[in-house]
Amino acid sequence: MSLKIGITGTNFISDDFCAAAGQVPGAEVTAVYSRRQETGDAFASRHAIPHVFTDYGRFLASDINAVYVASPNAVHCRQTLQALNSKKHVLCEKVLAVNEAQVRSMVDCARRNNVVLLEAMRPDFDPAFDIILENLPRIGTLRRASFEFCQYSSRYDDFRQGIVQNAFNPDLGNAAVMDIGVYCIHSLVRLFGMPEQVRAFSTKLSNGFDGSGIILMEYDGMTAEAVYSKISASVNPSVIQGEDGSILIDYISKPEQLELRLRTGSRDPLDGGRREVLPFTPAPNNMVYEIAEFIRLVERNEVDHRYLRYSVDAIRVMDEVRRQTGIRFREDGIKTIR
């Protein structure tokens, strides 16, 4: 039996989702919601989606079983709560919501309605991270982790010309820490748990938008940092350092190569260590893994799954980052009570 999925949001990530869903057995995209009919029609035409809705209530009342939420961050919570209360399973794009209060309200709502809520955080489901976990003991006592995601946004060129698109509009719950930094933060708390302390620094643009930043996270016996940017690019890999070696991750959101570097054991005495490429075959579109896991959770009715803890921990860190750096959203003053 196929899981009939409706999509809300018609930007590029929804295009990627449709391409991935077409490769996952049991996933069937049957509806799209858009505020504008012509936008919905164009998206549906690209992906052969049979039903287009411009009314969210009618969209939820259709025969879909689940909703993929890919709308702006500011409306993730509201749209997700409506879907959950309509007994629809929800796969919600990162970030799950703009603050911890919203995330917890969504988790509670999913439990009350006995439906699955899952954050579409691609690294959580990528086999590369299982390989990282398997190889952590080989690098000895962990001492440092540096996760980096600096990707120059194509929309930043418009911003530099005075045109503020959604991706650089803080009124929509956007910030580089929410859009880009979340990959580093989420992966760190998944691997190492909640830090004991957090220190954060942010570079603001002229409209107050958080363009880039550095987050220092202290653990017992080790330190970690998350380096992120939407206004510059980096060629540095992410690295986990232990006393006996390191693991290098080429691209934190969709790894294509993992490298193990051991401090000793090289056949070449001039090399100072041994290098080993950890074998795995990356998927061209690693969204296939999150969709497959979403379907598995739905089929097994695993409402209380481990990924919820990662989402809550990550948003707790981001709330503290925003508190320290003065990143504020309108939704911070709105208490969700349902």
Side-chain angles (χ1 to χ4, degrees), residues 41 82 326:
D41 288 343
Q82 287 180 256

Short mmCIF file of all heavy atoms in Angstrom, two decimals, residues 41 82 326:
data_model
loop_
_atom_site.label_atom_id
_atom_site.label_comp_id
_atom_site.label_asym_id
_atom_site.label_seq_id
_atom_site.Cartn_x
_atom_site.Cartn_y
_atom_site.Cartn_z
N ASP A 41 -0.30 24.77 -10.19
CA ASP A 41 -0.48 24.07 -11.46
C ASP A 41 0.86 23.80 -12.13
O ASP A 41 1.08 22.70 -12.68
CB ASP A 41 -1.36 24.90 -12.40
CG ASP A 41 -2.83 24.91 -11.98
OD1 ASP A 41 -3.22 24.05 -11.17
OD2 ASP A 41 -3.56 25.80 -12.45
N GLN A 82 -1.99 21.79 12.08
CA GLN A 82 -3.24 21.54 11.36
C GLN A 82 -3.25 20.15 10.74
O GLN A 82 -4.27 19.44 10.79
CB GLN A 82 -3.44 22.61 10.28
CG GLN A 82 -3.83 23.97 10.80
CD GLN A 82 -4.01 24.96 9.65
OE1 GLN A 82 -3.17 25.81 9.39
NE2 GLN A 82 -5.13 24.84 8.96
N GLY A 326 21.26 37.74 19.56
CA GLY A 326 20.21 38.72 19.29
C GLY A 326 19.43 38.46 18.03
O GLY A 326 18.90 39.40 17.41
#
